[in-house]
Amino acid sequence: MKTILGLDIGGTKILGILYDENGKELAREKKKTKANEGLDVVINQIYKVIDNLLEFENSELIALGAGVPGLVDDEGTIAFSPNIPFRDFKLGEKLSEKYAVPIYVGNDVNVAMFGEYKHIDRRASKHVLGIFIGTGVGGAIIIDGKLYTGQGSAGEFGHMVVSADGAYCGCGAQGCLEAYASKTAIQKYISKQLNKGRKSMFTELLEEDGAVLKSSSIRKAYDAEDELAKEIVDRLARYLGIAVGNLINLYHPEMIIIGGGITEALGEILLDKIISESRQHAMPGLLGTVNFEVSELADEAGVFGAYHLAKNML
Amino acid sequence: MKTILGLDIGGTKILGILYDENGKELAREKKKTKANEGLDVVINQIYKVIDNLLEFENSELIALGAGVPGLVDDEGTIAFSPNIPFRDFKLGEKLSEKYAVPIYVGNDVNVAMFGEYKHIDRRASKHVLGIFIGTGVGGAIIIDGKLYTGQGSAGEFGHMVVSADGAYCGCGAQGCLEAYASKTAIQKYISKQLNKGRKSMFTELLEEDGAVLKSSSIRKAYDAEDELAKEIVDRLARYLGIAVGNLINLYHPEMIIIGGGITEALGEILLDKIISESRQHAMPGLLGTVNFEVSELADEAGVFGAYHLAKNML
């Protein structure tokens, strides 16, 4: 049976799913990335995931796709990855040596958002943007039904300056969206408020969650009408609303998909606030022409997008 | 002889040029728009420009293109034009009734920037952005060598918020690029400074120029080392630099064309400052991959772009 393999290579784990030609899942495999054990170990972990999946009965692999964090060019070369020891590493070429099929390697956010797009495209929208709120803020651009990456790195929505002379961003610049709307920025804001002596459920929630606050905890505090939680959600919606307004004025897309853990945890609550804020920034008449969706695939968006991008190479 | 006609319909004048199939100019015609005399008069002026050009010996028109200020959809319907009495007006359809050839009608900035792109594309760049600094700030997006307009209004770079809670913009929002980097914003800033009692050449220059400050006057004051002129140019470069950084992170294009009267008057002086500022905002490694050009066609970019967009319809 002809099969297509989708991989999501993350900083902590590698998820692979083997699909048939119609996108039906046949098998899945998950392994640790072991990013801190060096490049060769990581490559071996990737091979193991692929090889285990290829043992599926009568599987005849015809294409392979993968999403990886970092800057990836059209040839599948990873200039830099934040959590995995890939530096100017030709992952596409490396995989091609072992697996003689068309191979797609792309940025993880682009690949995952393409997965969401393929999952959601009931209305057959051709021009779609995805904003992904995670540790950072990523983005993806779909034009004429295809992923658009420009010279390779288009869609860095998190590094759109929304506030000149504003908050410092991890990238070194000031006022980037990511400095306001990422999970990192939110947790920093919460800590700052707690250090000021504000009372909030987040004191306990942070103790329970450990180093990284869970998205579900933000929802929990919001539902309990915690003042700080309400403030955080409003602040998040404010900056995402500006960004969404900007993106509408810049791309006039048919659909915007907003994704990531926080988005999925807050759902319509956040989406309604974002739309309401973006009303002040989108040009008259444009906002009403754009459909909004919240991502739905969570951790599986990446593999599903990788499957579709691999399939597109055939 | 097969001919293609390009029109630039502006708020004060209509310029038409008749080209042969290779883009060689055969004849040109200019008439007042007479925008304040109503729609029928404007249409008549457009007909006159076209009909006069079609009298060119042996001309056999095969396509017609036009750029118009305002929101124009893919069908050539103008939702709204700031200076001409077009409201939900089907200009494309109207022209088709009289001239039975393929007709392209688009937003003037898009059309003009496509003209600059066709003029400048020595290096065959496929993904190109244009920023146009005029009364407002406009933009154009070229993807895969074609004008991208999304659902019709993409490229409104002037209404990208660069400073949340910043200066009020004519569109009603706060912090738009246009509120800092348009000719209107610059003149407003100058007037404010002069009213504060600042000494500057602009006091005389504004008297000479009348209601609207000329771009050449800004250059003149800059060359004379007028302090206010230097401040204006730095401020312009600062906000355009942020915008350019954003655009690189969003589109990762091969080329950015910066156009309009002020840009052409200041040339490399402004461009160097913009690039220097955008260095702080573009993601590491991306700025160096983008080529910058200053527009060169001035008033003829529109007709030349209209010619090319008409030709593309054949």
Side-chain angles (χ1 to χ4, degrees):
Chain A
M1 187 200 323
K2 286 180 179 168
T3 58
I4 297 169
L5 202 153
L7 280 179
D8 185 12
I9 304 170
T12 52
K13 63 180 197 311
I14 301 161
L15 174 64
I17 295 186
L18 191 72
Y19 297 90
D20 72 8
E21 278 184 290
N22 302 314
K24 198 188 144 221
E25 179 176 335
L26 303 172
R28 68 168 61 198
E29 183 76 32
K30 201 193 256 189
K31 292 221 169 287
K32 286 198 174 133
T33 309
K34 301 190 175 174
N36 55 359
E37 296 183 28
L39 181 62
D40 290 343
V41 174
V42 172
I43 297 295
N44 242 314
Q45 294 297 96
I46 296 172
Y47 286 162
K48 277 189 205 160
V49 169
I50 298 173
D51 293 340
N52 285 354
L53 286 170
L54 293 185
E55 282 172 15
F56 187 81
E57 214 183 324
N58 293 325
S59 164
E60 182 207 328
L61 188 72
I62 58 168
L64 192 156
V68 189
L71 293 177
V72 187
D73 75 8
D74 293 346
E75 310 291 313
T77 300
I78 305 157
F80 162 86
S81 184
N83 306 309
I84 309 176
F86 292 144
R87 292 287 177 284
D88 293 315
F89 182 66
K90 297 179 195 298
L91 179 62
E93 206 175 292
K94 185 82 182 170
L95 292 171
S96 291
E97 286 168 12
K98 197 158 145 61
Y99 309 100
V101 295
I103 289 173
Y104 182 93
V105 178
N107 167 273
D108 59 348
V109 174
N110 277 328
V111 170
M113 278 297 171
F114 196 73
E116 292 287 353
Y117 167 61
K118 280 296 175 181
H119 172 65
I120 285 173
D121 77 343
R122 297 183 285 272
R123 281 162 295 212
S125 299
K126 283 161 54 190
H127 309 313
V128 177
L129 301 179
I131 309 179
F132 186 87
I133 299 126
T135 312
V137 175
I141 303 160
I142 290 148
I143 285 178
D144 273 329
K146 291 178 297 186
L147 202 54
Y148 168 81
T149 58
Q151 288 195 76
S153 303
E156 289 285 354
F157 297 162
H159 300 286
M160 164 167 54
V161 173
V162 290
S163 182
D165 305 314
Y168 277 94
C169 179
C171 76
Q174 269 181 282
C176 294
L177 175 64
E178 187 165 298
Y180 298 96
S182 60
K183 270 197 72 173
T184 315
I186 292 168
Q187 190 161 343
K188 215 164 134 185
Y189 186 82
I190 292 174
S191 299
K192 208 172 152 186
Q193 297 300 316
L194 296 180
N195 286 341
K196 276 187 187 170
R198 267 181 85 165
K199 300 273 169 255
S200 160
M201 278 178 69
F202 283 116
T203 308
E204 296 154 43
L205 291 166
L206 272 166
E207 255 170 47
E208 286 169 25
D209 291 353
V212 179
L213 186 69
K214 284 181 188 159
S215 298
S216 58
S217 295
I218 296 174
R219 176 63 191 258
K220 204 186 283 175
Y222 184 87
D223 283 344
E225 301 193 350
D226 182 271
E227 282 302 318
L228 184 51
K230 285 199 276 181
E231 187 178 316
I232 281 158
V233 173
D234 284 344
R235 195 166 178 271
L236 181 62
R238 160 123 171 82
Y239 287 100
L240 286 175
I242 292 175
V244 161
N246 283 358
L247 293 175
I248 291 174
N249 295 340
L250 294 174
Y251 296 90
H252 200 189
E254 291 154 272
M255 187 191 284
I256 295 180
I257 303 171
I258 302 181
I262 291 190
T263 320
E264 293 184 15
L266 291 165
E268 299 292 322
I269 298 165
L270 181 63
L271 193 57
D272 289 349
K273 284 176 188 281
I274 291 173
I275 295 172
S276 165
E277 173 71 33
S278 67
R279 204 176 301 281
Q280 297 172 45
H281 305 287
M283 295 280 287
L286 302 193
L287 183 64
T289 65
V290 181
N291 292 311
F292 288 87
E293 297 280 351
V294 172
S295 65
E296 293 177 349
L297 295 178
D299 283 353
E300 290 185 19
V303 274
F304 192 60
Y307 153 78
H308 273 289
L309 288 161
K311 195 178 171 183
N312 280 357
M313 297 193 84
L314 298 173
Chain B
M1 188 200 323
K2 286 181 178 169
T3 58
I4 297 170
L5 202 155
L7 279 179
D8 184 10
I9 304 170
T12 53
K13 63 180 196 308
I14 301 162
L15 173 64
I17 295 186
L18 190 73
Y19 297 90
D20 72 8
E21 278 183 289
N22 302 314
K24 197 188 144 220
E25 178 176 334
L26 302 172
R28 68 169 60 201
E29 183 76 33
K30 200 193 260 188
K31 292 220 171 288
K32 286 197 175 133
T33 310
K34 300 189 176 174
N36 55 0
E37 296 184 27
L39 180 63
D40 291 342
V41 174
V42 172
I43 297 295
N44 242 314
Q45 294 297 95
I46 296 172
Y47 286 162
K48 276 190 206 163
V49 170
I50 299 172
D51 293 339
N52 286 354
L53 286 171
L54 294 185
E55 282 172 15
F56 187 81
E57 213 182 325
N58 293 325
S59 163
E60 182 207 329
L61 189 72
I62 58 169
L64 192 157
V68 189
L71 293 176
V72 188
D73 74 9
D74 293 347
E75 311 291 313
T77 299
I78 304 158
F80 162 86
S81 184
N83 306 307
I84 308 175
F86 292 143
R87 293 287 178 284
D88 293 316
F89 182 66
K90 297 179 196 298
L91 180 61
E93 207 175 291
K94 185 79 180 171
L95 292 171
S96 292
E97 287 168 11
K98 198 159 146 61
Y99 309 99
V101 295
I103 289 173
Y104 181 94
V105 178
N107 167 273
D108 58 347
V109 174
N110 277 328
V111 170
M113 277 297 172
F114 196 74
E116 292 287 351
Y117 167 61
K118 281 295 177 181
H119 172 66
I120 285 172
D121 76 344
R122 297 182 287 272
R123 280 162 295 211
S125 300
K126 281 161 55 192
H127 309 314
V128 177
L129 302 178
I131 308 179
F132 186 87
I133 298 125
T135 312
V137 175
I141 303 160
I142 290 148
I143 286 178
D144 273 329
K146 289 178 298 187
L147 202 55
Y148 169 80
T149 58
Q151 288 196 74
S153 302
E156 289 286 353
F157 297 161
H159 300 286
M160 164 165 57
V161 172
V162 290
S163 182
D165 306 313
Y168 277 95
C169 178
C171 77
Q174 269 182 284
C176 295
L177 175 63
E178 187 165 300
Y180 297 97
S182 62
K183 270 198 71 173
T184 315
I186 292 168
Q187 189 161 346
K188 216 164 134 184
Y189 186 81
I190 292 173
S191 299
K192 209 172 152 186
Q193 297 301 316
L194 295 181
N195 286 341
K196 277 187 189 170
R198 266 180 84 166
K199 298 275 167 255
S200 159
M201 276 179 71
F202 283 115
T203 308
E204 294 154 45
L205 291 167
L206 272 166
E207 256 171 47
E208 285 169 25
D209 291 353
V212 179
L213 186 69
K214 285 181 187 158
S215 298
S216 57
S217 295
I218 296 174
R219 175 63 191 259
K220 204 187 284 175
Y222 185 86
D223 284 344
E225 301 193 351
D226 182 272
E227 283 303 317
L228 184 52
K230 285 199 275 180
E231 187 178 316
I232 282 159
V233 173
D234 284 344
R235 195 166 179 270
L236 181 61
R238 160 122 172 82
Y239 286 99
L240 286 175
I242 292 175
V244 161
N246 283 357
L247 294 175
I248 290 173
N249 295 340
L250 294 174
Y251 297 90
H252 199 188
E254 292 155 88
M255 187 191 283
I256 295 180
I257 303 171
I258 302 182
I262 290 189
T263 321
E264 293 184 15
L266 291 166
E268 299 292 322
I269 298 165
L270 181 62
L271 193 57
D272 289 349
K273 284 177 187 279
I274 291 172
I275 295 172
S276 164
E277 173 72 32
S278 66
R279 205 175 301 281
Q280 296 172 47
H281 305 287
M283 295 281 287
L286 301 193
L287 184 64
T289 65
V290 181
N291 293 312
F292 288 87
E293 298 280 351
V294 171
S295 66
E296 293 178 348
L297 294 178
D299 284 353
E300 290 184 20
V303 273
F304 191 60
Y307 153 78
H308 273 288
L309 288 161
K311 194 177 172 184
N312 281 357
M313 298 194 85
L314 297 174

